Amino acid sequence: MHLLIVDDHPLFREALASTLALAYPGAVLHEADGIAGACATLGRERAIELVLLDLSMQGVQGFDGLATIRAQFVRVPILVVSGLDDPRIMRDAIHHGAAGFVPKAVDKATLTRAIADVLAGGLSLPPALAGAANRPERTQLAERVARLTPQQMRVLGMIRQGKLNKQIAHALQVGDSTVKAHVTEILRKLEVGSRTQIVIETAGLDFDHIRTRS
């Protein structure tokens, strides 16, 4: 496993590298202190499977660093590890292409779980993001989820697990076109524009108390 740490604070890079070395003894760790260095390393080291990126670095405005890496290295997932913990920033990071967001204050177990989730192809969302919306919005979303058919709910559950259409089709023993049709209907009924938004908006919903139509 090859991981790239991108942070302009040497002490934090050292601390994060120590944590990763304990969690993944066989991992090869790469470091960069800025976006240019990160892109150079990614271009040179094709085996890198995950980027752990700080948003707040000298010379970087907003999500520019995230967007730059995302545009040039589409196949490599990016887990934001940031001192910022505003749910709006977390949400925007996901919309800019991050595969997850972890505040720097989390414990080692939470960080390693987030890394495992992202490496498995899923999204890693902190609890603060799930609770960011106010109650009326959550109630309205729950009502929209209740419009889904039982089969669409099964598809939704697998989307939230990060599964691809082919994996969903195999699990449900249906064709790819059927899954695509279900995904299209889920997007329409939930009034969202992408699979990422599905995961973000439904995080934290109590599905045990949502009754779908038959």
Side-chain angles (χ1 to χ4, degrees), residues 105-127:
V106 301
D107 56 28
K108 182 176 68 174
T110 301
L111 174 62
T112 54
R113 185 165 58 249
I115 291 172
D117 288 343
V118 172
L119 288 174
L123 287 174
S124 178
L125 304 175

Side-chain angles (χ1 to χ4, degrees), residues 51-95:
V51 175
L52 295 99
L53 173 70
D54 184 21
L55 291 177
S56 303
M57 291 187 290
Q58 187 173 3
V60 178
Q61 297 294 322
F63 299 98
D64 288 352
L66 171 60
T68 297
I69 296 176
R70 178 78 284 126
Q72 294 185 37
F73 303 95
V74 178
R75 69 172 186 83
V76 183
I78 301 171
L79 176 63
V80 173
V81 184
S82 175
L84 305 171
D85 58 2
D86 186 329
R88 292 171 298 178
I89 294 175
M90 297 178 188
R91 183 184 296 270
D92 287 346
I94 300 298
H95 283 304

Side-chain angles (χ1 to χ4, degrees), residues 151 154-155 158 161 163-176 179:
Q151 188 75 326
R154 284 189 280 271
V155 173
M158 284 184 270
Q161 295 170 12
K163 294 186 181 297
L164 303 175
N165 282 1
K166 287 185 178 181
Q167 295 172 307
I168 297 173
H170 177 75
L172 297 179
Q173 298 184 332
V174 298
D176 287 356
V179 174

Side-chain angles (χ1 to χ4, degrees), residues 1-213:
M1 181 190 300
H2 287 244
L3 306 173
L4 172 60
I5 301 169
V6 186
D7 196 296
D8 62 355
H9 290 87
L11 287 177
F12 181 76
R13 288 202 310 273
E14 181 180 347
L16 183 53
S18 297
T19 298
L20 294 174
L22 288 173
Y24 302 98
V28 178
L29 303 178
H30 306 267
E31 297 183 19
D33 62 2
I35 301 304
C39 289
T41 302
L42 285 165
R44 184 175 63 251
E45 304 289 345
R46 297 293 182 174
I48 291 174
E49 300 173 51
L50 176 67
V51 175
L52 295 99
L53 173 70
D54 184 21
L55 291 177
S56 303
M57 291 187 290
Q58 187 173 3
V60 178
Q61 297 294 322
F63 299 98
D64 288 352
L66 171 60
T68 297
I69 296 176
R70 178 78 284 126
Q72 294 185 37
F73 303 95
V74 178
R75 69 172 186 83
V76 183
I78 301 171
L79 176 63
V80 173
V81 184
S82 175
L84 305 171
D85 58 2
D86 186 329
R88 292 171 298 178
I89 294 175
M90 297 178 188
R91 183 184 296 270
D92 287 346
I94 300 298
H95 283 304
H96 279 81
F101 194 110
V102 178
K104 285 185 176 180
V106 301
D107 56 28
K108 182 176 68 174
T110 301
L111 174 62
T112 54
R113 185 165 58 249
I115 291 172
D117 288 343
V118 172
L119 288 174
L123 287 174
S124 178
L125 304 175
L129 186 58
N134 60 39
R135 185 172 297 275
E137 290 174 334
R138 305 306 286 173
T139 300
Q140 292 168 10
L141 178 60
E143 291 173 351
R144 292 198 293 272
V145 170
R147 301 173 192 167
L148 302 179
T149 66
Q151 188 75 326
Q152 289 167 358
M153 281 291 288
R154 284 189 280 271
V155 173
L156 172 62
M158 284 184 270
I159 290 174
R160 296 176 72 240
Q161 295 170 12
K163 294 186 181 297
L164 303 175
N165 282 1
K166 287 185 178 181
Q167 295 172 307
I168 297 173
H170 177 75
L172 297 179
Q173 298 184 332
V174 298
D176 287 356
S177 60
T178 300
V179 174
K180 289 179 181 178
H182 283 318
V183 173
T184 298
E185 276 299 287
I186 292 169
L187 291 170
R188 183 184 67 82
K189 290 179 179 179
L190 299 191
E191 301 177 16
V192 296
S194 69
R195 297 168 77 102
T196 298
Q197 280 187 280
I198 289 176
V199 177
I200 294 172
E201 298 297 338
T202 60
L205 281 183
D206 186 355
F207 281 83
D208 290 338
H209 292 84
I210 296 177
R211 306 181 76 179
T212 60
R213 70 179 181 84

